């Protein structure tokens, strides 16, 4: 298989598996919004590298006969998270534009109030946090979704490195 065909195959699998990660992130976001006191949203988000590894192993074993180089594993992981990030940006835009009604920032402000004593105890500026929150609240839904998209793409690069290291396999024999 040539490089172009291998890239097409990798992207096709990554798009499909990006949908699985999208569902995970959407469930995580919904759990965070609907049950902010419970840890379910965070736990689902923390499952991301395990889900991507699971899908990488499936791609490696099903499509590649059990072996994958570090760079191909890195590309697969990154593309999977990239596609999930693009789709999640749309989900978040729809949520912030049509469904939120200020609930997200109410949750954020509540969390900020809980962290205030800890920040003061550590000698950190609470005012900087409040200023940052005020700045975030001025963003339009599309801008807010784009901020999260940018963050997710950056994190995708960082997460893809260890996933690729663990998921790579050399040909036997």
């Amino acid at each position: 298989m040539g490089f172009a065909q291998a890239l097409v195959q990798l992207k096709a699998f990554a798009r499909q598996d990006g949908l699985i990660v999208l569902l995970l992130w959407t469930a995580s976001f919904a759990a965070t919004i609907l049950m902010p006191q419970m840890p379910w949203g965070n736990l689902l988000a923390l499952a991301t590298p395990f889900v991507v590894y699971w899908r990488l192993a499936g791609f490696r074993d099903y499509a590649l006969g059990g072996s994958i180089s570090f760079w191909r594993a890195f590309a697969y992981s990154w593309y999977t998270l990239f596609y999930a990030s693009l789709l999640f940006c749309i989900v978040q835009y729809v949520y912030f534009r049509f469904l939120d009604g200020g609930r997200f920032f109410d949750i954020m402000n509540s969390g900020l109030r809980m962290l205030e004593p800890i920040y003061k105890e550590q000698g950190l500026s609470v005012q900087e946090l409040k200023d940052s929150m005020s700045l975030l609240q001025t963003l339009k839904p599309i801008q807010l979704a784009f901020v999260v998209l940018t963050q997710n793409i950056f994190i995708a690069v960082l997460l893809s490195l260890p996933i690729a290291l663990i998921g790579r396999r050399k040909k036997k024999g």
Side-chain angles (χ1 to χ4, degrees):
M1 178 183 312
F3 177 77
Q5 286 177 310
L7 187 60
V8 167
Q9 178 193 45
L10 182 140
K11 286 180 169 184
F13 275 84
R15 278 191 298 272
Q16 293 172 6
D17 294 339
L19 286 173
I20 294 170
V21 175
L22 168 68
L23 293 174
L24 175 70
W25 288 353
T26 302
S28 169
F29 187 65
T32 300
I33 295 298
L34 297 174
M35 301 177 290
Q37 319 81 347
M38 302 297 286
W40 301 116
N42 291 332
L43 291 174
L44 287 170
L46 289 173
T48 298
F50 302 102
V51 170
V52 174
Y53 172 77
W54 167 60
R55 297 311 309 144
L56 169 65
F59 171 62
R60 176 192 68 214
D61 297 342
Y62 174 75
L64 303 177
S67 66
I68 190 169
S69 70
F70 168 80
W71 290 110
R72 188 180 281 190
F74 176 79
Y76 167 84
S77 300
W78 186 83
Y79 272 113
T80 298
L81 292 167
F82 174 75
Y83 291 130
S85 296
L86 289 177
L87 294 170
F88 190 57
C89 180
I90 295 167
V91 168
Q92 286 195 311
Y93 169 73
V94 168
Y95 173 78
F96 289 128
R97 175 73 172 89
F98 300 108
L99 303 172
D100 183 52
R103 180 163 171 76
F104 179 76
F105 287 113
D106 289 344
I107 293 168
M108 295 288 285
N109 285 323
S110 164
L112 179 61
R113 282 190 298 277
M114 287 174 44
L115 290 176
E116 250 181 73
I118 297 169
Y119 268 73
K120 286 181 182 177
E121 183 179 299
Q122 297 295 323
L124 300 171
S125 172
V126 175
Q127 190 58 43
E128 287 180 24
L129 278 175
K130 290 179 179 180
D131 292 344
S132 297
M133 187 63 66
S134 295
L135 178 64
L136 278 176
Q137 289 175 331
T138 65
L139 297 177
K140 295 177 182 170
I142 191 73
Q143 293 169 320
L144 196 53
F146 186 73
V147 166
V148 175
L149 170 67
T150 306
Q151 173 187 333
N152 285 345
I153 290 174
F154 175 72
I155 291 170
V157 172
L158 298 178
L159 272 181
S160 294
L161 289 168
I163 293 169
L165 276 171
I166 294 168
R168 69 182 175 183
R169 295 283 185 276
K170 293 185 180 189
K171 291 181 182 177
K172 295 180 182 177

